Amino acid sequence: MQGDGEVLFLGGVGEVAVTLGHDGLSFLPLHPELGSSCLSSIGLLPKLENKIKFSDVYAVELLDEGPVCGPWNTRIVVQGKKNSEMHRFAVHVITRSRKHPSQLVPCEYLFGHKDPETCKSLVEHLSACINNEQDRPKNLMVFVHPLCGKGRGCKNWEMVAPLFDRANVNTKVIITKRAGHAYDTLASISDKELKKFDGVVAVGGDGLFNEILNGLLNSRNKTSYPPTPEGFGYFGSTEKCQGYKNDGLNNSTPTSEAVNVMLPVGSNKSDDHEPLLSTGQSVGLDISSLNPNTESSTGDQVPSVSFPNDWFRLGIIPSGSTDAIVLSTTGERDAVTSALLIIFGRRIALDIAQVVRWKSSPSAEVLPTVRYAASFAR
């Protein structure tokens, strides 16, 4: 739509000229005198804006024919009808709360037109523009802790689930039944199944997030152990230790036969960044081969999923007793804010530390205990 744009009816405002640009939708009231002294009826919107950025839109819905209210305390005739039934569509956006600036609030613009094809065409165009936002997830695995925070897990998921449905984000929901349920599920899931998802979401507290993190990494992280403490031998034979290969960047990574073998003390492995895991570039991972949208070049063979990589993400919807991870990232202990950030694919850098508890003696025939802990880089 160029020039004056298409004339639509906007709820709470009246007739507007709508124009689509490369980064959003703009509208200009045709009768500003009717709405200049009245409050906007746009749901939950604290301030009327005359431009909607695609980056702030999380969903567009084609609605059934129904009423669209005009400006408050006015009765006007629009498009041949007196403020009555018309074909409608809703544009769902986010705005900032005035009382809590770090909190996101969902709101909607309700548009109407007498022609159903006009509404349908606009919805298709807007949906295509939103789908061009590449970082937004399409498929998520969701773990819900039903007992955390005095039962807030299920309540919070019931509250935010409609947001994911409206945004066309597919979710596979698993209600945890015991401690370690999320860990066992992710540790045992096949790479083929895991690659169907863009990420995993925890609806719970810090403990559930920790379960998910360790379930993903304990069986898939290919980074070797930190150097053995002085005076300790390494577990396994010399042949297994030779299973470590050098990737040309002075970072040794284990082969599949030597994942659980510790490096000898005299190894030339650089430990400048230990115990933090290296980035995808520093360990020589081919990120494109790990992307679920990239077809394998070897027919039906599914590339293994290893970490770190650029496409998989972790999310958390706060429902625990402390929610320290969420407070340190979003600054707001609000389930709706976290859900919207996940839907938009917003990211923050995540440092993962490998915590190793060594054997009690060099001769002990047990592997060290390995756990992973997360902190967020600012």
Side-chain angles (χ1 to χ4, degrees):
M1 283 172 276
Q2 304 294 332
D4 294 333
E6 185 75 47
V7 176
L8 300 175
F9 192 76
L10 176 59
V13 178
E15 286 185 308
V16 294
V18 176
T19 305
L20 288 175
H22 69 280
D23 62 344
L25 177 151
S26 302
F27 57 87
L28 180 66
L30 299 183
H31 306 285
E33 68 280 359
L34 294 176
S36 59
S37 61
C38 64
L39 297 174
S40 169
S41 65
I42 297 176
L44 299 179
L45 194 62
K47 180 181 178 182
L48 178 63
E49 303 288 349
N50 62 359
K51 182 172 183 178
I52 305 172
K53 295 181 179 180
F54 294 142
S55 58
D56 291 334
V57 178
Y58 70 91
V60 182
E61 279 187 299
L62 187 63
L63 304 176
D64 295 332
E65 188 176 5
V68 180
C69 298
W72 288 79
N73 301 322
T74 63
R75 297 183 63 83
I76 60 175
V77 177
V78 56
Q79 297 179 3
K81 297 184 178 182
K82 183 181 289 186
N83 196 24
S84 59
E85 302 277 317
M86 62 180 66
H87 299 280
R88 307 172 300 166
F89 67 93
V91 180
H92 298 276
V93 303
I94 57 170
T95 187
R96 294 281 180 180
S97 169
R98 286 183 292 181
K99 292 184 178 180
H100 306 281
S102 60
Q103 190 175 100
L104 297 180
V105 179
C107 52
E108 72 175 29
Y109 290 82
L110 183 63
F111 291 93
H113 197 276
K114 62 182 180 181
D115 180 21
E117 290 302 318
T118 298
C119 293
K120 182 179 178 181
S121 176
L122 282 167
V123 168
E124 291 176 350
H125 188 98
L126 291 171
S127 297
C129 293
I130 295 172
N131 290 335
N132 287 334
E133 302 284 333
Q134 297 181 354
D135 285 340
R136 300 191 184 190
K138 301 298 182 185
N139 299 282
L140 295 172
M141 181 181 292
V142 180
F143 288 94
V144 180
H145 193 319
L147 301 179
C148 66
K150 298 181 180 180
R152 288 197 300 133
C154 289
K155 293 179 182 178
N156 281 350
W157 176 246
E158 290 173 359
M159 177 174 60
V160 302
L163 296 176
F164 288 90
D165 291 338
R166 189 176 293 150
N168 292 321
V169 178
N170 300 315
T171 55
K172 178 181 179 180
V173 182
I174 300 174
I175 308 296
T176 58
K177 301 183 182 301
R178 54 180 171 78
H181 186 174
Y183 175 93
D184 292 340
T185 300
L186 291 170
S188 61
I189 191 173
S190 68
D191 288 344
K192 181 178 181 180
E193 183 69 17
L194 186 62
K195 285 170 68 66
K196 296 178 181 178
F197 300 96
D198 299 309
V200 179
V201 176
V203 184
D206 299 333
L208 181 60
F209 184 85
N210 182 67
E211 262 195 48
I212 290 172
L213 181 66
N214 280 272
L216 283 170
L217 293 184
N218 271 340
S219 59
R220 295 178 179 88
N221 173 41
K222 303 304 181 184
T223 302
S224 58
Y225 292 155
T228 311
E230 185 177 356
F232 279 70
Y234 53 84
F235 179 83
S237 65
T238 303
E239 289 76 11
K240 283 189 176 181
C241 287
Q242 291 174 348
Y244 285 85
K245 61 181 180 180
N246 192 286
D247 62 6
L249 294 171
N250 200 30
N251 277 320
S252 299
T253 54
T255 63
S256 58
E257 293 81 10
V259 171
N260 290 322
V261 181
M262 290 180 285
L263 285 172
V265 177
S267 169
N268 64 351
K269 175 175 174 59
S270 171
D271 60 352
D272 291 342
H273 301 289
E274 294 289 357
L276 294 180
L277 304 186
S278 305
T279 63
Q281 181 179 4
S282 65
V283 297
L285 291 178
D286 181 4
I287 298 301
S288 62
S289 68
L290 301 177
N291 193 310
N293 298 320
T294 303
E295 294 184 2
S296 172
S297 59
T298 57
D300 296 332
Q301 183 179 356
V302 179
S304 61
V305 178
S306 58
F307 292 88
N309 64 60
D310 281 349
W311 60 267
F312 202 84
R313 73 282 307 268
L314 298 177
I316 180 169
I317 296 175
S319 304
S321 56
T322 57
D323 298 317
I325 294 176
V326 168
L327 286 172
S328 66
T329 54
T330 69
E332 192 68 42
R333 194 178 176 185
D334 178 64
V336 172
T337 296
S338 293
L340 289 170
L341 290 172
I342 292 170
I343 290 171
F344 278 97
R346 303 289 168 81
R347 297 170 181 248
I348 188 170
L350 175 64
D351 289 334
I352 303 296
Q354 184 187 63
V355 183
V356 179
R357 182 178 181 181
W358 299 98
K359 303 181 298 178
S360 58
S361 69
S363 60
E365 292 294 321
V366 292
L367 289 172
T369 301
V370 180
R371 292 291 181 268
Y372 296 92
S375 65
F376 291 82
R378 286 293 184 180

